[in-house]
Amino acid sequence: MDDSIDARSVARAILSAILIVVVHSAIYMVIMRYEGRLELADPVNAVYWVIMTMTTVGYGDIVFRSHVGHIFSIVVSLSGIVLVFAFVLPGLVTPWFEHLGRELPERVPEWLSNHILICGYGPMVERLTERLDEMGMQFAVIESRESVARSIFKKYMTVWGDPSDVQVLRNANISTARMVMVNYTDEINADIVLTVREVSDVEIIAMVEDLRHSRFLSYAGASRVLSPKTMLGTFVAQISTPSCGGCVFPGAVQLFGTLSLAEVPVFPGSPLAGRAISDPMLIHTGAAIAGIWKRGEFTPSPSGSVLLSSGTVILAVGNSEQLMRLRSLGAGDEGRFLVIGYGDVGQRLVRLMCEHGIRPVVVDRRDLATDRFEHVVGDGYSEDALIRAGIKDASCIMIMLNDDHDAIYSTLVARNMNPDAFIIARANHLPSTEKLYRAGADYVASVPMVASKMLLNMVTPESEDLTILYEGLELRRYEVRRRSPMAQRTLRELALIERFGCAVVAIDRAGDAILSLSGETEILPGDVLILIGPPGSVDRFTRDFGDGG
């Protein structure tokens, strides 16, 4: 039966009907005694008369003679009609028939080919499926859990069945698929990979929960094994580490030539705090400010009068030297680096920090026998454990707990104990991101967002010049052709932020990089624009101006 027809709803409907029958039966017996007809004033006759009247059968073998009895008969009849049409039909009968007419699909159309098969729907692939659907790319989801399959089959092409079953794979046109992604537990993923390899040599991308299991999935036949948690740990280390010892700027996305786009946090004590974007200190770095993040709110192309503050994350464009100059200004005072949670993400994060000469303090429930870093045993939201870890002296707090509820509470505690620290929090589910920002996080690193970025980069055709950034922003390179409606118009005339919510952050003009953009900047034929905006905004831009003219 459909999930909407749950046991509680049925129980409530039955109890309500019983209560109404009992009340009406009691009133029936009172009225019969009032009329002096004691031979009919017993519980059996009462229940019989009430049910016959409520269901509008009305045999007429028992009738009241008084006006009070007649009025009561009308009330009982109307209550029966209300019960049937307001509760029974819409709450039970209608959903039952709808359920009968909504059988879950067990195969895809025969014409489907060159498609992506996603085995297992969940948070890790939720954003990916949304983006593939927006891009019009062919894909199908194989889902063994009925409740999950029912929640998505009207939105996406779905096959209800066990993806480790050969026939289910054949029903999903495995022979003509171009890629298979597996997204269950590591043990189930291994079973699915082995089954796929029985019938196809298609490319298999396996998502791994525990990095130690990677080699087993590879042995099973996976073409590539991805660990979003490990990638997330790497990214958080890149964001939080003030200095990389001259390495390539961490977390940067290459644009063109030597230019890259990178996120630069403003830590407590940074000389950038309280300065306007037009301040000479920022201008002298040579990097251009493409946008700023403040507690999850993104402002593209901010005006020069906007003030920076501790906790702001700058989205900057420049070469490695320019970005490193800006990063050194954002580093601020030296202080403790506190890592809360030492799971897969925390371990990767701590290892990279130690490699860069930073010895963080780790808070974890387990007793970690190591001398590589200082360790405090305790819960990540325990004030006592956090005080022992020196939270009040921390400049950066990285909350890498595996449970989102724990992460949210830990963020609330950490922000209350250290209002000035730069807090990076991990989210395992996209809906938790906003809650973590409200709890006080300055930056939220989402596992599903990292997973969608990794997967989308693998499945997107090379001609699709699109990059997904970690905070959900999309970046696209757009070539302005000779007949483009953008040519010979200024950025102010185009009003991209107002119309689409996206902005031009850099222009490649015949090999020359233009970073100093203003409303008077004119767009010329042949320019390559670097556009950035939230999901969907760049698509709206493309629909208006065409694919490159």
Side-chain angles (χ1 to χ4, degrees):
M1 189 177 288
D2 195 289
D3 294 338
S4 62
I5 317 173
D6 56 69
R8 290 184 181 179
S9 298
V10 174
R12 282 196 296 267
I14 293 174
L15 289 175
S16 298
I18 292 174
L19 180 61
I20 291 172
V21 170
V22 170
V23 172
H24 285 172
S25 297
I27 297 173
Y28 164 91
M29 288 188 289
V30 170
I31 297 175
M32 278 298 179
R33 289 191 178 97
Y34 165 76
E35 293 185 356
R37 303 164 68 189
L38 299 180
E39 73 280 3
L40 295 176
D42 63 88
V44 175
N45 280 322
V47 172
Y48 166 77
W49 180 87
V50 168
I51 292 177
M52 291 303 102
T53 305
M54 288 182 65
T55 56
T56 69
V57 174
Y59 289 127
D61 50 345
I62 301 177
V63 294
F64 288 107
R65 295 172 182 171
S66 64
H67 290 310
V68 174
H70 294 159
I71 294 172
F72 176 61
S73 299
I74 294 172
V75 171
V76 174
S77 297
L78 292 176
S79 67
I81 294 172
V82 171
L83 180 66
V84 171
F85 288 98
F87 296 100
V88 177
L89 285 178
L92 297 175
V93 178
T94 302
W96 171 259
F97 281 107
E98 288 179 350
H99 167 75
L100 293 178
R102 287 203 312 263
E103 292 300 327
L104 287 171
E106 297 183 357
R107 61 172 60 250
V108 298
E110 293 184 4
W111 53 260
L112 183 66
S113 62
N114 196 34
H115 56 295
I116 299 165
L117 281 179
I118 300 173
C119 300
Y121 183 83
M124 287 291 188
V125 297
E126 183 177 359
R127 178 59 190 139
L128 173 69
T129 54
E130 290 175 358
R131 194 67 190 98
L132 292 176
D133 190 49
E134 292 168 358
M135 296 165 61
M137 296 185 66
Q138 298 284 4
F139 70 95
V141 179
I142 304 178
E143 178 54 62
S144 60
R145 296 160 295 182
E146 181 178 0
S147 59
V148 177
R150 288 198 177 279
S151 69
I152 63 171
F153 85 99
K154 286 190 175 181
K155 187 176 181 181
Y156 305 126
M157 194 175 296
T158 305
V159 174
W160 178 40
D162 182 358
S164 63
D165 185 291
V166 171
Q167 189 56 51
V168 171
L169 292 174
R170 286 175 177 156
N171 291 346
N173 294 2
I174 183 69
S175 61
T176 57
R178 70 182 181 93
M179 182 180 293
V180 174
M181 296 179 183
V182 291
N183 181 44
Y184 285 97
T185 64
D186 293 346
E187 294 79 9
I188 296 176
N189 284 347
D191 191 6
I192 296 171
V193 171
L194 287 169
T195 307
V196 172
R197 277 290 168 256
E198 286 182 30
V199 295
S200 175
D201 59 356
V202 67
E203 182 179 10
I204 303 175
I205 309 298
M207 307 284 279
V208 66
E209 295 176 321
D210 189 332
L211 195 59
R212 294 172 297 180
H213 298 164
S214 298
R215 67 182 188 277
F216 302 118
L217 291 172
S218 296
Y219 294 158
S223 310
R224 282 182 281 185
V225 180
L226 303 182
S227 174
K229 292 181 180 180
T230 302
M231 186 65 179
L232 185 70
T234 302
F235 177 71
V236 173
Q238 293 170 341
I239 284 289
S240 59
T241 306
S243 174
C244 289
C247 67
V248 176
F249 193 87
V253 176
Q254 186 174 3
L255 301 180
F256 51 82
T258 60
L259 288 186
S260 296
L261 180 77
E263 292 173 313
V264 179
V266 179
F267 286 94
S270 166
L272 296 180
R275 294 183 182 270
I277 288 178
S278 59
D279 190 282
M281 180 179 288
L282 274 88
I283 295 175
H284 289 160
T285 64
I289 310 301
I292 57 172
W293 286 100
K294 184 65 177 178
R295 297 280 174 89
E297 294 291 329
F298 179 68
T299 304
S301 301
S303 66
S305 61
V306 173
L307 297 178
L308 300 176
S309 61
S310 176
T312 300
V313 178
I314 302 171
L315 194 63
V317 179
N319 58 36
S320 293
E321 292 181 1
Q322 294 168 335
L323 294 173
M324 286 303 295
R325 283 197 291 268
L326 182 62
R327 188 180 183 89
S328 64
L329 291 175
D333 300 330
E334 291 188 6
R336 283 177 178 263
F337 285 80
L338 190 58
V339 177
I340 300 175
Y342 196 66
D344 286 346
V345 178
Q347 289 179 36
R348 177 68 173 175
L349 166 61
V350 170
R351 185 171 73 80
L352 291 177
M353 294 183 75
C354 291
E355 288 178 0
H356 289 118
I358 298 175
R359 287 173 56 87
V361 181
V362 177
V363 178
D364 194 83
R365 293 174 179 172
R366 298 164 295 173
D367 186 5
L368 307 174
T370 180
D371 57 0
R372 292 189 300 124
F373 50 81
E374 185 180 344
H375 171 231
V376 173
V377 179
D379 288 324
Y381 42 79
S382 165
E383 292 185 71
D384 175 66
L386 294 177
I387 289 173
R388 285 187 284 118
I391 189 172
K392 295 185 178 180
D393 298 323
S395 60
C396 183
I397 303 170
M398 291 151 280
I399 300 172
M400 301 291 111
L401 297 173
N402 191 48
D403 184 272
D404 282 358
H405 298 297
D406 291 345
I408 292 169
Y409 190 67
S410 179
T411 302
L412 285 168
V413 174
R415 178 55 71 199
N416 181 264
M417 298 181 72
N418 189 337
D420 299 321
F422 188 86
I423 298 179
I424 303 175
R426 161 192 173 181
N428 292 301
H429 299 85
L430 288 175
S432 299
T433 301
E434 185 177 346
K435 295 178 183 178
L436 285 164
Y437 278 124
R438 289 203 303 268
D442 294 297
Y443 194 96
V444 177
S446 166
V447 178
M449 193 60 68
V450 171
S452 67
K453 173 184 169 64
M454 297 169 71
L455 294 172
L456 196 61
N457 286 342
M458 293 181 180
V459 304
T460 303
E462 295 181 0
S463 59
E464 184 68 26
D465 208 359
L466 174 71
T467 300
I468 307 296
L469 304 180
Y470 285 94
E471 278 280 3
L473 294 176
E474 295 182 350
L475 180 147
R476 191 190 299 269
R477 296 164 180 83
Y478 180 92
E479 182 180 354
V480 181
R481 305 190 186 231
R482 184 176 302 277
R483 296 182 180 179
S484 169
M486 297 186 68
Q488 313 299 332
R489 299 175 68 183
T490 65
L491 290 177
R492 179 174 289 108
E493 291 172 336
L494 293 171
L496 300 182
I497 296 177
E498 294 79 6
R499 293 172 60 188
F500 310 106
C502 61
V504 177
V505 299
I507 299 176
D508 179 5
R509 181 168 292 167
D512 293 330
I514 301 177
L515 300 181
S516 299
L517 304 177
S518 68
E520 304 307 317
T521 300
E522 185 178 8
I523 306 300
L524 302 179
D527 285 351
V528 176
L529 311 181
I530 305 299
L531 290 158
I532 191 168
S537 64
V538 179
D539 287 340
R540 290 192 295 272
F541 166 87
T542 304
R543 283 195 294 268
D544 261 37
F545 289 102
D547 188 12

